[in-house]
Amino acid sequence: MALLTSPNVQRVDSLIAEELDTYVDREHQSVSAKMVQQELVEASLTCNDVLAILTEKADDVLKLAVALLRDESLSQQGADISGLVEGCSITYAIYLYHAQGAIMEELIEYLRRRQIPRASLFAARVFALYGEIKKKSNGRKLPDKNEFS
């Protein structure tokens, strides 16, 4: 799937991994592609929709992903995050898309379709974190692609 090899997806994935002091597992691209394709169908979004979010709101996606992953790590008694799946930024871009739309029920329904446990609680956390991100937004832009060469 071309979306996984998009420079914006790869950069945001790398930034998330860097913030969490881990790595992006790029060895299972066919599995990642199937997962991403299913996510897009269940979110009713296109590759272009996700790329637009990752281009225009990269910093917000990064902040949301890091906050949610750190929350998850803490809830598991401080377990380390040992690698991220390729395309993980796509998942967080989808969460951000729903949070920006400010219709929590859409996010809850999406999470239920994805079989995320306690979808209502998770959606509430996404919305709360997005609210914090908006308040603290400092206009940080995605690093230039040459920084990752």
Side-chain angles (χ1 to χ4, degrees), residues 22-147:
T22 191
Y23 64 95
V24 178
D25 179 357
R26 299 191 193 280
E27 294 193 23
H28 301 96
Q29 195 172 69
S30 64
V31 173
S32 295
K34 288 177 187 175
M35 289 173 26
V36 166
Q37 190 170 25
Q38 188 62 36
E39 277 187 292
L40 293 175
V41 167
E42 291 173 355
S44 299
L45 294 174
T46 67
C47 292
N48 288 336
D49 295 331
V50 171
L51 284 175
I53 295 164
L54 288 170
T55 300
E56 298 164 16
K57 301 288 185 175
D59 190 53
D60 290 349
V61 173
L62 171 64
K63 289 175 183 174
L64 182 63
V66 169
L68 286 169
L69 287 164
R70 283 187 176 144
D71 275 1
E72 184 178 318
S73 176
L74 289 174
S75 71
Q76 296 177 5
Q77 286 75 29
D80 287 335
I81 298 168
S82 57
L84 301 172
V85 66
E86 181 176 28
C88 64
S89 60
I90 295 166
T91 299
Y92 298 102
I94 292 169
Y95 295 166
L96 183 71
Y97 168 83
H98 287 292
Q100 285 180 303
I103 303 174
M104 190 179 300
E105 192 56 39
E106 287 182 10
L107 179 57
I108 292 169
E109 287 305 313
Y110 168 74
L111 294 170
R112 286 183 179 148
R113 286 191 297 273
R114 298 294 303 155
Q115 299 180 350
I116 304 295
R118 301 180 350 198
S120 296
L121 290 172
F122 187 79
R125 185 66 183 139
V126 168
F127 270 73
L129 287 169
Y130 178 66
E132 291 174 25
I133 289 166
K134 279 179 52 177
K135 286 181 189 174
K136 296 177 183 177
S137 183
N138 63 4
R140 180 176 166 217
K141 301 293 182 201
L142 187 66
D144 184 89
K145 65 182 176 185
N146 294 328
E147 293 180 36

